[in-house]
Amino acid sequence: MDDVAAALAASNFSRLHPPALQRLLAGARRTRVPAGSVTHREGEAVQHLELVVDGLLRVFVTAPDGRSMTVRYARRGALIGAVSLYAEGFRMPASTQAVVDTTVLRFSPDVVRRAASGDAHVAEALLHELADRVLSFVHEITDTAFTSVRHRVARHLLDLASQESWAGAGGRPTLTVEVSQRQLADAVGSVREVVGRALRELRESGAISTHRDHIEILDPVRLSHEQGGTWVPDGPHR
């Protein structure tokens, strides 16, 4: 369970003492989520708290015409669903999907609430998590409106790849996006030459591989770092 310990150390539970962590882990279940799978859907009334152990999840909203927009990318150490434990009449405001094969640790909501009621340190950790989520979504507004072309290209590629993996059930060895530079430029509100430079930089970083008629996402987690998303440090949480 070294990977679970590493994920906990990168989360808002990192400052908890071992006895408190053991109480939280009572009844927790480790689950493997295949690439493309939707774990929670918009509108569901389900209380949950999940820790990303490895892989990459995206939280996205869907328009009536079927288009989707990602509002959060969650990597190792990210906690999903804390607000559902305390929001009265909670319903999922967005859906959650695995971009690549992902492992999550699913806590027991009742266990977490009891631990928070009896231990101020657990309650404080959850407050930090909720504060991080509020700030994250506020920053998402400015990121969407004012971010760089490279950021927008990385985000759009991940969104397209996520939709492809959903449709294809993750059957390809790498995530593939069939899109031209002109289409990318139109999608992100730029011009082909600028998008070409952004793709070159992403290719040099090792995140993608470009081809005449498609783009391969070689490292979705690296690409999620390139575009921003919800960043969780690799070391202990501050």
Side-chain angles (χ1 to χ4, degrees):
M1 297 285 283
D2 287 347
D3 53 352
V4 172
L8 286 167
S11 76
N12 272 311
F13 289 150
S14 64
R15 289 169 288 191
L16 295 179
H17 296 303
L21 280 176
Q22 288 305 311
R23 285 194 293 273
L24 281 174
L25 291 172
R29 296 181 294 109
R30 182 190 180 104
T31 303
R32 192 68 173 169
V33 183
S37 298
V38 174
T39 59
H40 299 288
R41 294 188 183 276
E42 188 173 343
E44 287 181 354
V46 55
Q47 295 182 341
H48 62 287
L49 182 66
E50 298 170 357
L51 172 73
V52 179
V53 176
D54 63 48
L56 181 67
L57 294 177
R58 72 168 185 141
V59 180
F60 67 98
V61 293
T62 305
D65 63 4
R67 291 178 300 162
S68 68
M69 182 181 75
T70 300
V71 295
R72 181 187 182 192
Y73 284 103
R75 300 178 279 269
R76 185 186 70 180
L79 289 166
I80 306 287
V83 69
S84 74
L85 302 181
Y86 298 100
E88 186 175 349
F90 175 82
R91 289 190 178 275
M92 287 289 295
S95 301
T96 306
Q97 178 196 15
V99 179
V100 297
D101 289 345
T102 299
T103 300
V104 299
L105 187 69
R106 290 177 169 161
F107 296 91
S108 164
D110 290 338
V111 167
V112 174
R113 278 194 297 267
R114 284 198 301 269
S117 296
D119 188 331
H121 295 293
V122 175
E124 183 181 22
L126 288 171
L127 286 172
H128 278 288
E129 173 62 23
L130 292 171
D132 283 352
R133 295 288 63 76
V134 170
L135 291 175
S136 169
F137 289 126
V138 169
H139 292 157
E140 197 70 32
I141 297 171
T142 55
D143 283 351
T144 300
F146 306 119
T147 193
S148 69
V149 171
R150 174 170 167 169
H151 180 127
R152 297 201 299 272
V153 166
R155 172 183 288 277
H156 191 62
L157 287 176
L158 270 176
D159 280 350
L160 289 175
S162 299
Q163 293 166 32
E164 288 293 326
S165 70
W166 188 356
R172 288 183 291 271
T174 57
L175 297 174
T176 302
V177 178
E178 296 183 2
V179 64
S180 68
Q181 289 189 17
R182 174 67 64 188
Q183 290 170 321
L184 269 179
D186 291 342
V188 303
S190 185
V191 296
R192 186 176 179 276
E193 291 75 17
V194 177
V195 167
R197 287 197 295 271
L199 289 173
R200 183 174 66 250
E201 293 169 356
L202 293 173
R203 184 174 63 244
E204 291 171 350
S205 77
I208 67 172
S209 174
T210 57
H211 304 271
R212 183 178 59 82
D213 58 350
H214 69 280
I215 297 171
E216 292 183 351
I217 312 300
L218 303 178
D219 191 339
V221 175
R222 179 186 294 273
L223 191 60
S224 73
H225 280 289
E226 292 282 351
Q227 65 85 48
T230 302
W231 183 75
V232 178
D234 290 332
H237 193 83
R238 69 185 190 283

